[in-house]
Amino acid sequence: MKTYPVLVVVLLSILFAPTKSFPARIRMSLEKLTMVEDVRLQGASDRTSPYRFSIPVPERWTVRDATLHFSFINSNALLKDRSQLIVYLGENPLGQISLDPLSPKGDVSLPIPGQLLKPGYNAFSFQAAQHYQEEGCEDPGAPELWTWIDLRNAYVIVEYDEKPLPLRLSAVIDFLFEAPNPNPPDVHIIIPELNSEYLHFASRAASGVALRYDYRPIRFSVSDHIRDGADNIAIGPPDFLNSLNRAPFPEIMGATLRIAQAPLSSYPEKPTMENEAETAQQEGTLTFDPTRALIMATGRTLEEIDRASLALSLLSYPLPNSSSVRVEDIVEPELSKYLMQDGLTPGKTYTLSSLGFKNTGFEGSFPTPAGFQFRLPSDVHLSQNRFVTLYLNMAFGAGMRSDSTLNIRVNDRFVGAVRLNDDMGGFFRGYQVQIMLSAFRPGDNNVVFVPVLTPMITDQCTFIQTQNLRLTVFSDSRLILPDIPHWIEMPQLEALMRDGFPFSMWPDFRDSEIFVADKNFMAAGAAVNAVALLARKIGYPPTGLTWRLGPPTGATGKNGIVVGSLPAIPESLMAAAPVDILAKGRTPEPQIPRPKPLEEPSKDLWSRFIPKEDLLPTNVTRAARPDTAIIRFGQALSGGRAAMMEFQSPHQPDRTFLIFTAADSETLQRGGRALWEPAVQSALAGDLALIDLGHPDFRTQSLSVGDPYYLGGVGAFPKVEYYVNTYPWIFLGVVVGLLMAMALLTYLILRRIRRKRIPADA
């Protein structure tokens, strides 16, 4: 009985002792975490061609433990004792799996020690040793030597602790908002009031954060108060920031940026003498969240607040290292049309090193392909009669069979090859490979070098030498783009998701304006999410975008984005949209989908000599627009769905309007956050898209139901070039005819001059 008081004391001490935070535990799909695909390991040994991928770990995490889960199927012709699958982390083998022909399917749970996962991108690889007989000769390339690894359904479970926030502004770049974070917290923008100026500041700050996260989905919200569990960015005058942050703001001498730990929303608004002791105690426990940030952009005037928020959006280098800094001045870079991240300028020459390609060596019979990527604007006219030129500098080894080649693929299509047919080896400098411009596409382009290196001797029972199978492509090789005109059929929501076109033709969005039709923070949050997403597509914050609070009221000379609930969208604007989803609006229902035939050629006399040819650019939609039945509903768009519509401006034919709407502001806010889902972005197409916010994968359905219109033009010279290349004999006849006409005209002029100089009776 005497032990009860001791037991009670122990229990009370445990109950009221300072609690140690439990680690976070998340399960992440490998396909969403990094770029992976199902892999087939082929041959006796894939040691020269492992499959590699990376698992990111942010600076904010201290990983305790992790587990990689995947499944595989191996050939039932393998020898169990001599066949195995090895998983590496860097150069460290994590585990080896025996490939059993009697049990060819397997599920693997591979523990990963937390101390091996460092901040950054951790390189993993799969390698296989596969054999089908114990002794004698073995064909190393036998088709039955294979193992298939299912990585699309693989996942990683990670347990981690979050590190405390370092109180330095450079943490914005190298700690808070970094691409390796696969599970970033939401970012909450705090502004003192809802007006066009502060919405502009908020969109720039959100865009700067989105650019730092690179390709990661990140969701924003907007209000006038702190949000727990999120990284907060507060923009406003000092007295407003004092109401948010318990620590009083020091005297402001100009535009200022500051970082602090985020206060929790449940603390007393102002410390007083009565609660000073309680407040001091809370500061060490509950008042501040040590893992979340409060970033403040402030100033004495609206111009200074503008400058501070602009500086925050442009931060891209991990400086300064202090917790507070004054922004003296900002000089923005000079911008021109069609600038974008990783984008190339037509008519220019680039070295492959400038495109991220390093000197790359390919070795062995199964070398891993390598290449480079770049982007082209959405409205480029990619003609079949123009060529991109590659000048390759490369060296290859001696003793390779004459059918060894370097194949070149563009966007997963074979476009050219270099034959390596000198068994003495060799060096090429400026080897020219011409690739049709039409092999490329608007947006992302991927050029890959795929070597096929064959040994000189390949007899089954002979030692096969593979150490001489070597090829190096040097980074000083060059890529030359031709001049490319701009012409595109609109509307295309896929172009919007590709690079923000047409609103981002100027990377700062100076030719566009956005209308927040509902005057509330939920609609503002949806608009900020949409703009931040488009800014990420182009790679620059929207410093020139004009913000309006309220629906559009008249003609505008800019491209327009309207974000608001259905009741707030003007009927006059909705009437110009492809679908009127207001109450009692018209809704097209597609019917009888079928292929679209080519148009019949013209039968007039002129077409017999110069055939009429369709000169539409390659980025024009050739698919049929289905027949539609028009149904009028009482209300076409109900709760749980968001709609996006793109159409020609009713005020100016070369401008575009975009409407993003939902039945109410709350649903609209959810729709704005759903735009960050890759599945939604890839499904947006045509001129109308409906997003099902109740579906776990945000199922999105797209249609093309409105009338097309065109932006840009091929101009006179591309048309002439087209006819020269397509109808050379007709062009030659025209040239000969013109020369004969000029010769005749010259003869007549000279004869007239001669008659004037020499009298008729001479």
Side-chain angles (χ1 to χ4, degrees), residues 506-533:
W506 286 93
D508 58 358
F509 291 72
R510 67 182 64 174
D511 264 356
S512 301
E513 56 186 341
I514 183 168
F515 301 86
V516 182
D518 293 285
K519 297 180 181 180
N520 59 57
F521 283 114
M522 289 183 289
V528 167
N529 274 284
V531 170
L533 175 62

Side-chain angles (χ1 to χ4, degrees), residues 3 33 167 183 187 223 287 297 345 347 369 412 430 434 474 480 587 663 667 684 709:
T3 60
L33 190 64
L167 296 180
N183 187 38
V187 176
S223 77
T287 302
T345 303
D412 295 326
Q434 288 198 324
F474 296 100
I480 301 177
T587 303
T667 306
L684 289 174
Y709 60 99

Side-chain angles (χ1 to χ4, degrees), residues 14-36:
I14 294 174
L15 253 149
F16 292 98
T19 58
K20 186 177 180 179
S21 61
F22 291 99
R25 178 184 173 91
I26 60 171
R27 168 175 166 164
M28 300 175 290
S29 166
L30 201 60
E31 187 178 24
K32 293 183 178 180
L33 190 64
T34 186
M35 296 181 62
V36 295

